[in-house]
Amino acid sequence: MDATTETTPLRAVALVCTLSPPPERSSSQLLAEQTMEALADHGVTGKVIRIADHDVRPGVQVDMGAGDAWPEIRDTVLGCDILVLSTPIWLGHPSSVAQRVLERRDAELGETDDAGRMLTYGKAAAVCVVGNEDGAHHVSAEIFQGLNDVGFSLAPNAVTYWVGEAMQGTDYQDLDKTPEKTAATTATVAANTAHLARRLKSAPYPPST
């Protein structure tokens, strides 16, 4: 047992899985940034990485060869206590970029520490979902299962989301202000995830058999 307390600094990284290439605006990025700001209230620092800015190759290996940007991003994730994964909804599912990130995380199944635990054990995760169609619960369920399969832990209420009126064109980033319910949910996600991350630092999971 170490001396981890509620003031112990934590690191987080948010992976934004928008399909929009830079420099287009992104609702997924906006909600990820708001989540990082909420985490900062709990002593968490870190950064946001927009996956579309990088050449993340398809595959399920740690490194898919020359030019693959995933190894550096993976190193950043492994150096953090918290992963935030932010995705839009497309046709009722996470974006293809989010799916690619989950597929690349599949490599963690074969990477373990001296105690036989995946290197992601002891790290907490949270999810952000945006869209102007239904499906936020379905999308978060898919991502929850994928993240848990590759070693991340999830706090209660580990998703914050916003969905607009079905078949309309309003995006989250176009709203005049953040809806109170979304803001309150984001604050809860941040508080619970930071709390879980600190508990995991002070009490690691047992060795895998």
Side-chain angles (χ1 to χ4, degrees):
M1 189 77 67
D2 65 19
T4 300
T5 70
E6 290 301 327
T7 59
T8 298
L10 296 173
R11 292 280 300 168
V13 61
L15 303 184
V16 176
C17 298
T18 177
L19 297 182
S20 302
E24 290 186 27
R25 297 167 63 232
S26 164
S27 291
S28 300
Q29 180 147 351
L30 175 58
L31 187 53
E33 289 171 347
Q34 291 174 338
T35 300
M36 294 293 281
E37 290 170 2
L39 283 166
D41 292 336
H42 300 277
V44 183
T45 59
K47 65 179 180 178
V48 176
I49 298 175
R50 188 163 165 166
I51 298 297
D53 290 350
H54 305 273
D55 185 9
V56 174
R57 304 285 173 83
V60 293
Q61 305 299 321
V62 168
D63 190 337
M64 296 303 298
D68 183 18
W70 179 252
E72 183 175 352
I73 295 172
R74 176 179 179 267
D75 286 345
T76 299
V77 173
L78 292 180
C80 289
D81 306 291
I82 296 169
L83 168 65
V84 176
L85 188 61
S86 185
T87 181
I89 304 169
W90 284 109
L91 302 176
H93 295 276
S95 73
S96 58
V97 176
Q99 182 63 31
R100 179 167 296 186
V101 167
L102 291 175
E103 289 166 352
R104 293 306 300 270
R105 295 242 59 98
D106 186 74
E108 305 308 329
L109 296 173
E111 302 290 325
T112 59
D113 64 14
D114 293 339
R117 297 168 297 203
M118 281 187 278
L119 303 182
T120 46
Y121 272 31
K123 300 183 186 301
V127 177
C128 305
V129 181
V130 293
N132 50 23
E133 60 175 293
D134 203 1
H137 282 183
H138 175 75
V139 166
S140 60
E142 285 194 38
I143 295 177
F144 282 173
Q145 186 62 54
L147 290 171
N148 189 253
D149 280 348
V150 296
F152 290 91
S153 297
L154 300 161
N157 306 116
V159 61
T160 182
Y161 68 88
W162 177 87
V163 288
E165 185 179 358
M167 296 183 288
Q168 301 298 314
T170 301
D171 288 334
Y172 182 65
Q173 62 190 357
D174 297 328
L175 301 178
D176 292 334
K177 66 176 183 178
T178 302
E180 291 183 7
K181 288 290 188 181
T182 300
T185 301
T186 299
T188 298
V189 169
N192 289 356
T193 302
H195 176 82
L196 175 60
R198 287 195 173 92
R199 299 288 76 75
L200 292 172
K201 284 179 78 72
S202 65
Y205 288 111
S208 296
T209 56

Coordinates of all heavy atoms in Angstrom, one line a residue, residues 87-168:
T87 N -15.8 9.6 -29.1 CA -16.3 9.2 -30.4 C -17.6 9.8 -30.8 O -18.5 10.0 -30.0 CB -16.4 7.7 -30.5 OG1 -16.8 7.3 -31.9 CG2 -17.4 7.1 -29.6
P88 N -17.8 10.1 -32.1 CA -19.1 10.4 -32.6 C -19.9 9.1 -32.8 O -19.3 8.0 -32.8 CB -18.8 11.1 -33.9 CG -17.5 10.5 -34.4 CD -16.8 10.2 -33.1
I89 N -21.2 9.3 -33.0 CA -22.0 8.1 -33.4 C -22.2 8.2 -34.9 O -22.6 9.2 -35.5 CB -23.4 8.2 -32.8 CG1 -23.3 8.3 -31.3 CG2 -24.3 7.0 -33.2 CD1 -24.6 8.7 -30.6
W90 N -21.9 7.1 -35.6 CA -22.2 7.0 -37.0 C -23.0 5.7 -37.3 O -22.5 4.6 -37.0 CB -20.9 7.0 -37.9 CG -20.3 8.3 -38.0 CD1 -19.1 8.8 -37.4 CD2 -20.8 9.4 -38.7 NE1 -18.9 10.1 -37.7 CE2 -19.9 10.5 -38.5 CE3 -21.9 9.6 -39.5 CZ2 -20.1 11.8 -39.1 CZ3 -22.1 10.8 -40.1 CH2 -21.2 11.9 -39.9
L91 N -24.2 5.9 -37.9 CA -25.1 4.7 -38.2 C -25.3 3.9 -36.9 O -25.4 2.6 -37.0 CB -24.5 3.9 -39.3 CG -24.2 4.6 -40.6 CD1 -23.6 3.7 -41.6 CD2 -25.5 5.2 -41.2
G92 N -25.4 4.5 -35.8 CA -25.7 3.8 -34.5 C -24.5 3.2 -33.9 O -24.7 2.5 -32.9
H93 N -23.3 3.4 -34.4 CA -22.1 2.7 -33.8 C -21.0 3.7 -33.6 O -21.0 4.8 -34.0 CB -21.6 1.6 -34.8 CG -22.6 0.5 -35.1 ND1 -22.6 -0.6 -34.2 CD2 -23.5 0.3 -36.0 CE1 -23.6 -1.4 -34.7 NE2 -24.1 -0.9 -35.7
P94 N -19.9 3.3 -32.8 CA -18.7 4.2 -32.7 C -18.1 4.4 -34.1 O -18.3 3.6 -35.0 CB -17.8 3.3 -31.8 CG -18.6 2.3 -31.2 CD -19.8 2.0 -32.1
S95 N -17.4 5.5 -34.2 CA -16.7 5.8 -35.5 C -15.7 4.7 -35.9 O -15.3 3.9 -35.0 CB -16.0 7.1 -35.5 OG -14.8 7.0 -34.7
S96 N -15.4 4.6 -37.2 CA -14.4 3.6 -37.6 C -13.0 3.9 -37.0 O -12.2 3.0 -36.8 CB -14.3 3.6 -39.1 OG -14.0 4.9 -39.6
V97 N -12.8 5.2 -36.7 CA -11.5 5.5 -36.0 C -11.5 4.9 -34.6 O -10.5 4.4 -34.1 CB -11.3 7.1 -36.0 CG1 -10.1 7.4 -35.2 CG2 -11.2 7.6 -37.4
A98 N -12.6 5.0 -33.9 CA -12.7 4.5 -32.5 C -12.5 2.9 -32.6 O -11.8 2.4 -31.8 CB -14.0 4.8 -31.9
Q99 N -13.1 2.3 -33.6 CA -12.9 0.9 -33.8 C -11.5 0.5 -34.0 O -10.9 -0.5 -33.5 CB -13.8 0.4 -34.9 CG -13.8 -1.1 -35.1 CD -14.3 -1.9 -33.9 OE1 -15.1 -1.5 -33.2 NE2 -13.7 -3.1 -33.7
R100 N -10.8 1.4 -34.8 CA -9.4 1.1 -35.1 C -8.5 1.2 -33.8 O -7.6 0.4 -33.6 CB -8.9 2.1 -36.1 CG -7.4 1.9 -36.4 CD -6.9 2.6 -37.7 NE -7.6 2.0 -38.9 CZ -7.4 2.4 -40.1 NH1 -6.4 3.3 -40.4 NH2 -8.1 1.9 -41.1
V101 N -8.9 2.2 -33.0 CA -8.1 2.4 -31.7 C -8.3 1.1 -30.8 O -7.4 0.6 -30.3 CB -8.6 3.6 -31.0 CG1 -8.1 3.6 -29.5 CG2 -8.1 4.9 -31.7
L102 N -9.6 0.6 -30.8 CA -9.8 -0.6 -30.0 C -9.1 -1.8 -30.6 O -8.5 -2.6 -29.8 CB -11.3 -0.9 -29.9 CG -12.2 0.1 -29.1 CD1 -13.6 -0.2 -29.2 CD2 -11.7 0.1 -27.6
E103 N -9.0 -1.9 -31.9 CA -8.3 -3.0 -32.5 C -6.8 -2.9 -32.2 O -6.2 -4.0 -31.9 CB -8.6 -3.0 -34.0 CG -10.0 -3.4 -34.4 CD -10.4 -3.0 -35.8 OE1 -9.6 -2.3 -36.5 OE2 -11.5 -3.4 -36.3
R104 N -6.3 -1.7 -32.2 CA -4.8 -1.6 -31.9 C -4.6 -1.9 -30.4 O -3.5 -2.5 -30.1 CB -4.3 -0.2 -32.2 CG -4.3 0.1 -33.7 CD -3.5 -0.9 -34.5 NE -2.1 -1.0 -34.2 CZ -1.2 -0.2 -34.7 NH1 -1.4 0.7 -35.6 NH2 0.1 -0.4 -34.3
R105 N -5.6 -1.7 -29.6 CA -5.4 -2.0 -28.1 C -5.5 -3.5 -27.9 O -5.0 -4.0 -26.9 CB -6.5 -1.3 -27.3 CG -6.5 0.2 -27.3 CD -6.2 0.7 -25.9 NE -5.0 0.2 -25.3 CZ -3.9 0.9 -25.3 NH1 -3.8 2.1 -25.8 NH2 -2.8 0.4 -24.7
D106 N -6.0 -4.2 -28.9 CA -6.0 -5.7 -28.8 C -4.6 -6.3 -28.6 O -4.5 -7.4 -28.0 CB -6.6 -6.3 -30.1 CG -6.9 -7.8 -30.0 OD1 -7.8 -8.2 -29.3 OD2 -6.1 -8.6 -30.6
A107 N -3.6 -5.6 -29.0 CA -2.2 -6.1 -28.8 C -1.9 -6.2 -27.3 O -1.0 -6.9 -27.0 CB -1.2 -5.1 -29.5
E108 N -2.6 -5.5 -26.5 CA -2.3 -5.5 -25.0 C -2.6 -6.9 -24.4 O -2.0 -7.2 -23.4 CB -3.1 -4.5 -24.3 CG -3.0 -3.1 -24.8 CD -1.6 -2.6 -24.9 OE1 -0.7 -3.0 -24.1 OE2 -1.3 -1.7 -25.8
L109 N -3.4 -7.7 -25.1 CA -3.6 -9.1 -24.6 C -2.4 -9.9 -24.5 O -2.3 -10.8 -23.7 CB -4.7 -9.8 -25.5 CG -6.1 -9.1 -25.6 CD1 -6.9 -9.8 -26.6 CD2 -6.7 -9.2 -24.2
G110 N -1.4 -9.6 -25.3 CA -0.1 -10.3 -25.3 C 1.0 -9.6 -24.6 O 2.2 -10.1 -24.7
E111 N 0.8 -8.5 -24.0 CA 1.8 -7.7 -23.3 C 1.5 -7.7 -21.8 O 0.5 -7.2 -21.4 CB 1.8 -6.2 -23.8 CG 2.0 -6.1 -25.3 CD 3.5 -6.5 -25.7 OE1 4.4 -6.2 -25.0 OE2 3.6 -7.1 -26.8
T112 N 2.4 -8.3 -21.0 CA 2.1 -8.4 -19.6 C 3.4 -8.0 -18.8 O 4.5 -7.9 -19.3 CB 1.8 -9.8 -19.2 OG1 2.9 -10.7 -19.6 CG2 0.5 -10.3 -19.9
D113 N 3.1 -7.7 -17.5 CA 4.2 -7.3 -16.6 C 4.8 -8.6 -15.9 O 4.3 -9.7 -16.3 CB 3.8 -6.3 -15.6 CG 2.7 -6.8 -14.6 OD1 2.4 -8.0 -14.6 OD2 2.1 -6.0 -13.9
D114 N 5.7 -8.4 -15.0 CA 6.3 -9.6 -14.3 C 5.3 -10.4 -13.5 O 5.6 -11.6 -13.2 CB 7.4 -9.1 -13.4 CG 8.6 -8.5 -14.2 OD1 8.7 -8.8 -15.4 OD2 9.4 -7.8 -13.6
A115 N 4.1 -9.8 -13.2 CA 3.1 -10.5 -12.5 C 2.1 -11.1 -13.3 O 1.0 -11.6 -12.9 CB 2.5 -9.6 -11.4
G116 N 2.3 -11.1 -14.7 CA 1.3 -11.6 -15.6 C 0.1 -10.8 -15.9 O -0.8 -11.2 -16.6
R117 N 0.1 -9.5 -15.5 CA -1.0 -8.6 -15.7 C -0.8 -7.8 -17.0 O 0.4 -7.4 -17.3 CB -1.1 -7.7 -14.5 CG -1.5 -8.4 -13.2 CD -1.3 -7.4 -12.0 NE 0.1 -7.0 -11.9 CZ 0.6 -6.5 -10.7 NH1 -0.2 -6.5 -9.6 NH2 1.8 -6.1 -10.6
M118 N -1.9 -7.5 -17.7 CA -1.7 -6.6 -18.8 C -1.2 -5.3 -18.4 O -1.5 -4.9 -17.2 CB -3.1 -6.5 -19.5 CG -3.4 -7.6 -20.5 SD -4.9 -7.3 -21.4 CE -6.2 -7.8 -20.2
L119 N -0.5 -4.6 -19.2 CA 0.1 -3.3 -18.9 C -0.9 -2.3 -18.6 O -0.6 -1.2 -18.0 CB 1.1 -2.9 -20.0 CG 2.2 -3.9 -20.3 CD1 3.2 -3.3 -21.3 CD2 3.0 -4.3 -19.0
T120 N -2.1 -2.5 -19.1 CA -3.2 -1.5 -18.9 C -3.9 -1.8 -17.5 O -4.8 -0.9 -17.1 CB -4.2 -1.7 -20.0 OG1 -4.5 -3.1 -20.2 CG2 -3.7 -1.1 -21.3
Y121 N -3.6 -2.9 -16.8 CA -4.2 -3.1 -15.5 C -3.8 -1.9 -14.6 O -2.7 -1.4 -14.7 CB -3.7 -4.3 -14.9 CG -4.5 -5.6 -15.2 CD1 -5.1 -5.7 -16.4 CD2 -4.6 -6.6 -14.3 CE1 -5.8 -6.9 -16.8 CE2 -5.3 -7.8 -14.6 CZ -5.9 -7.9 -15.9 OH -6.6 -9.0 -16.2
G122 N -4.7 -1.4 -13.8 CA -4.4 -0.3 -12.9 C -4.7 1.0 -13.5 O -4.5 2.1 -12.9
K123 N -5.2 1.0 -14.8 CA -5.6 2.3 -15.5 C -7.1 2.4 -15.6 O -7.8 1.4 -15.9 CB -4.9 2.4 -16.8 CG -3.4 2.3 -16.8 CD -2.8 2.5 -18.2 CE -1.3 2.3 -18.1 NZ -0.6 3.3 -17.1
A124 N -7.6 3.6 -15.4 CA -9.1 3.8 -15.5 C -9.4 4.4 -16.8 O -8.5 5.0 -17.5 CB -9.5 4.7 -14.4
A125 N -10.6 4.2 -17.3 CA -11.0 4.7 -18.6 C -12.4 5.4 -18.5 O -13.2 5.0 -17.6 CB -11.1 3.6 -19.6
A126 N -12.6 6.3 -19.3 CA -13.9 7.0 -19.4 C -14.2 7.2 -20.9 O -13.3 7.2 -21.8 CB -13.9 8.3 -18.7
V127 N -15.5 7.4 -21.2 CA -15.9 7.5 -22.6 C -16.8 8.8 -22.8 O -17.6 9.2 -22.0 CB -16.8 6.3 -23.0 CG1 -17.3 6.4 -24.4 CG2 -16.0 5.0 -22.8
C128 N -16.6 9.4 -24.0 CA -17.4 10.6 -24.4 C -18.1 10.2 -25.7 O -17.4 9.6 -26.6 CB -16.5 11.8 -24.6 SG -15.5 12.3 -23.3
V129 N -19.3 10.5 -25.9 CA -20.1 10.2 -27.1 C -20.9 11.4 -27.5 O -21.6 12.0 -26.7 CB -21.0 9.0 -26.9 CG1 -21.8 8.6 -28.2 CG2 -20.3 7.7 -26.4
V130 N -20.9 11.7 -28.8 CA -21.7 12.8 -29.3 C -22.3 12.4 -30.6 O -21.8 11.5 -31.4 CB -20.9 14.1 -29.6 CG1 -20.4 14.7 -28.3 CG2 -19.7 13.9 -30.5
G131 N -23.5 13.0 -31.0 CA -24.1 12.7 -32.2 C -25.4 13.3 -32.3 O -26.0 13.8 -31.4
N132 N -26.0 13.4 -33.6 CA -27.3 14.0 -33.7 C -28.2 12.8 -34.2 O -29.1 13.0 -35.1 CB -27.3 15.2 -34.7 CG -26.6 14.9 -36.0 OD1 -26.4 13.8 -36.4 ND2 -26.2 16.0 -36.6
E133 N -28.0 11.6 -33.6 CA -28.9 10.5 -33.8 C -28.8 9.7 -32.6 O -28.0 9.9 -31.7 CB -28.4 9.6 -35.0 CG -27.0 9.1 -34.8 CD -26.5 8.2 -35.9 OE1 -27.1 7.1 -36.0 OE2 -25.6 8.5 -36.7
D134 N -29.8 8.8 -32.4 CA -29.9 8.0 -31.2 C -28.7 7.0 -31.2 O -28.0 6.7 -32.2 CB -31.2 7.2 -31.2 CG -31.6 6.8 -29.8 OD1 -30.9 7.1 -28.9 OD2 -32.7 6.1 -29.7
G135 N -28.4 6.4 -30.0 CA -27.4 5.3 -29.9 C -26.3 5.5 -28.9 O -25.4 4.7 -28.9
A136 N -26.4 6.6 -28.1 CA -25.3 6.8 -27.2 C -25.0 5.7 -26.2 O -23.9 5.3 -25.9 CB -25.5 8.1 -26.4
H137 N -26.1 5.1 -25.7 CA -26.0 3.9 -24.8 C -25.4 2.7 -25.5 O -24.5 2.0 -24.9 CB -27.3 3.6 -24.2 CG -27.7 4.5 -23.1 ND1 -28.9 4.3 -22.4 CD2 -27.2 5.6 -22.6 CE1 -29.0 5.3 -21.5 NE2 -28.0 6.1 -21.6
H138 N -25.8 2.5 -26.7 CA -25.3 1.4 -27.5 C -23.8 1.6 -27.8 O -23.0 0.6 -27.6 CB -26.0 1.2 -28.8 CG -25.4 0.1 -29.7 ND1 -25.6 -1.2 -29.5 CD2 -24.7 0.2 -30.8 CE1 -25.0 -1.9 -30.4 NE2 -24.4 -1.1 -31.2
V139 N -23.4 2.8 -28.2 CA -22.0 3.1 -28.5 C -21.1 2.9 -27.2 O -20.1 2.3 -27.3 CB -21.9 4.5 -29.1 CG1 -20.5 5.0 -29.1 CG2 -22.5 4.5 -30.5
S140 N -21.6 3.5 -26.1 CA -20.8 3.4 -24.9 C -20.7 1.9 -24.5 O -19.6 1.5 -24.0 CB -21.4 4.2 -23.8 OG -22.7 3.9 -23.4
A141 N -21.7 1.1 -24.6 CA -21.7 -0.3 -24.3 C -20.6 -1.0 -25.1 O -19.8 -1.8 -24.5 CB -23.0 -0.9 -24.5
E142 N -20.5 -0.7 -26.4 CA -19.5 -1.4 -27.2 C -18.1 -1.0 -26.8 O -17.2 -1.8 -26.7 CB -19.7 -0.9 -28.7 CG -20.9 -1.6 -29.4 CD -20.8 -1.4 -30.9 OE1 -19.7 -1.4 -31.5 OE2 -21.9 -1.2 -31.5
I143 N -17.9 0.3 -26.5 CA -16.6 0.8 -26.1 C -16.2 0.3 -24.7 O -15.1 -0.1 -24.4 CB -16.5 2.3 -26.2 CG1 -16.7 2.7 -27.7 CG2 -15.2 2.8 -25.7 CD1 -16.7 4.2 -27.9
F144 N -17.2 0.3 -23.8 CA -17.0 -0.2 -22.4 C -16.4 -1.7 -22.5 O -15.4 -2.0 -21.8 CB -18.2 -0.3 -21.6 CG -18.7 1.0 -21.1 CD1 -19.9 1.2 -20.4 CD2 -17.9 2.2 -21.1 CE1 -20.3 2.4 -19.9 CE2 -18.3 3.4 -20.6 CZ -19.5 3.5 -20.0
Q145 N -17.1 -2.5 -23.3 CA -16.6 -3.9 -23.3 C -15.3 -4.0 -24.0 O -14.4 -4.8 -23.5 CB -17.6 -4.7 -24.2 CG -17.4 -6.2 -24.2 CD -17.4 -6.8 -22.8 OE1 -18.4 -6.7 -22.1 NE2 -16.4 -7.5 -22.4
G146 N -15.0 -3.3 -25.0 CA -13.7 -3.3 -25.7 C -12.6 -2.9 -24.7 O -11.5 -3.5 -24.6
L147 N -12.8 -1.8 -24.0 CA -11.8 -1.3 -23.1 C -11.6 -2.2 -21.9 O -10.4 -2.5 -21.5 CB -12.2 0.1 -22.5 CG -12.2 1.3 -23.5 CD1 -12.8 2.5 -22.9 CD2 -10.8 1.6 -24.0
N148 N -12.6 -2.8 -21.4 CA -12.5 -3.8 -20.3 C -11.8 -5.0 -20.8 O -10.9 -5.6 -20.0 CB -13.9 -4.1 -19.8 CG -13.8 -4.9 -18.5 OD1 -14.1 -6.1 -18.5 ND2 -13.4 -4.3 -17.4
D149 N -12.0 -5.5 -22.0 CA -11.3 -6.7 -22.5 C -9.8 -6.5 -22.6 O -9.1 -7.5 -22.4 CB -11.8 -7.0 -24.0 CG -13.2 -7.7 -24.0 OD1 -13.6 -8.1 -22.9 OD2 -13.8 -7.8 -25.1
V150 N -9.4 -5.3 -22.8 CA -7.9 -5.0 -22.9 C -7.4 -4.4 -21.6 O -6.3 -3.8 -21.7 CB -7.6 -4.2 -24.1 CG1 -7.9 -5.0 -25.4 CG2 -8.3 -2.8 -24.1
G151 N -8.0 -4.6 -20.5 CA -7.4 -4.3 -19.2 C -7.8 -3.0 -18.5 O -7.3 -2.8 -17.4
F152 N -8.6 -2.2 -19.1 CA -9.0 -0.9 -18.4 C -10.1 -1.1 -17.4 O -11.0 -2.0 -17.6 CB -9.4 0.1 -19.4 CG -8.2 0.7 -20.2 CD1 -7.9 0.1 -21.4 CD2 -7.5 1.7 -19.8 CE1 -6.8 0.5 -22.2 CE2 -6.4 2.2 -20.5 CZ -6.1 1.6 -21.7
S153 N -10.1 -0.3 -16.4 CA -11.2 -0.4 -15.4 C -12.1 0.8 -15.5 O -11.7 1.9 -15.9 CB -10.6 -0.4 -13.9 OG -9.8 -1.5 -13.7
L154 N -13.4 0.6 -15.3 CA -14.4 1.6 -15.5 C -15.1 2.0 -14.2 O -15.6 1.1 -13.4 CB -15.4 1.2 -16.5 CG -14.9 0.8 -17.9 CD1 -15.9 0.0 -18.6 CD2 -14.6 2.1 -18.6
A155 N -15.2 3.3 -13.9 CA -15.9 3.7 -12.7 C -17.4 3.7 -13.0 O -17.9 3.6 -14.1 CB -15.5 5.1 -12.3
P156 N -18.3 3.8 -11.9 CA -19.7 4.0 -12.2 C -19.9 5.2 -13.0 O -19.2 6.2 -12.9 CB -20.3 4.2 -10.8 CG -19.3 3.6 -9.8 CD -17.9 3.8 -10.5
N157 N -20.9 5.1 -13.9 CA -21.3 6.3 -14.8 C -20.1 6.8 -15.5 O -19.8 8.0 -15.5 CB -21.9 7.4 -13.9 CG -23.1 6.9 -13.1 OD1 -23.0 7.0 -11.9 ND2 -24.1 6.5 -13.7
A158 N -19.4 5.9 -16.2 CA -18.2 6.3 -16.9 C -18.3 6.8 -18.3 O -17.4 6.9 -19.1 CB -17.3 5.0 -17.0
V159 N -19.5 7.3 -18.6 CA -19.7 8.0 -19.9 C -20.4 9.3 -19.8 O -21.3 9.4 -19.0 CB -20.5 7.0 -20.9 CG1 -21.9 6.7 -20.3 CG2 -20.6 7.6 -22.3
T160 N -20.0 10.3 -20.6 CA -20.7 11.5 -20.7 C -21.1 11.6 -22.2 O -20.3 11.3 -23.1 CB -19.9 12.7 -20.3 OG1 -20.7 13.9 -20.4 CG2 -18.6 12.9 -21.0
Y161 N -22.3 12.1 -22.5 CA -22.7 12.2 -23.9 C -23.7 13.2 -24.1 O -24.3 13.8 -23.2 CB -23.3 10.8 -24.3 CG -24.6 10.4 -23.7 CD1 -25.8 10.8 -24.2 CD2 -24.6 9.6 -22.5 CE1 -27.0 10.4 -23.7 CE2 -25.8 9.3 -21.9 CZ -27.0 9.7 -22.5 OH -28.2 9.3 -21.9
W162 N -23.9 13.6 -25.4 CA -24.9 14.4 -25.9 C -25.4 13.9 -27.2 O -24.6 13.6 -28.1 CB -24.4 15.9 -26.1 CG -25.5 16.8 -26.6 CD1 -26.4 17.5 -25.9 CD2 -25.7 17.1 -28.0 NE1 -27.2 18.3 -26.8 CE2 -26.8 18.0 -28.1 CE3 -25.1 16.7 -29.2 CZ2 -27.3 18.5 -29.3 CZ3 -25.6 17.2 -30.4 CH2 -26.7 18.1 -30.4
V163 N -26.7 13.8 -27.4 CA -27.3 13.5 -28.7 C -28.4 14.5 -29.0 O -29.2 14.9 -28.2 CB -27.9 12.1 -28.7 CG1 -26.8 11.0 -28.7 CG2 -28.9 11.8 -27.6
G164 N -28.3 15.0 -30.2 CA -29.3 16.0 -30.7 C -30.6 15.3 -31.2 O -30.7 14.1 -31.2
E165 N -31.5 16.2 -31.6 CA -32.8 15.7 -32.1 C -32.5 14.8 -33.4 O -31.7 15.2 -34.2 CB -33.7 16.8 -32.5 CG -35.1 16.4 -33.0 CD -35.9 17.6 -33.3 OE1 -35.5 18.8 -33.1 OE2 -37.1 17.4 -33.7
A166 N -33.2 13.7 -33.5 CA -32.9 12.7 -34.6 C -33.2 13.4 -35.9 O -34.2 14.2 -36.0 CB -33.8 11.5 -34.4
M167 N -32.4 13.1 -36.9 CA -32.6 13.5 -38.3 C -32.5 15.0 -38.4 O -33.1 15.6 -39.3 CB -33.9 13.0 -38.9 CG -33.9 11.4 -39.0 SD -35.4 10.8 -39.8 CE -36.6 11.0 -38.5
Q168 N -31.8 15.7 -37.5 CA -31.5 17.1 -37.6 C -30.0 17.4 -37.7 O -29.2 16.5 -37.5 CB -32.1 17.8 -36.4 CG -33.6 17.6 -36.2 CD -34.4 18.2 -37.4 OE1 -34.2 19.3 -37.8 NE2 -35.4 17.4 -37.8

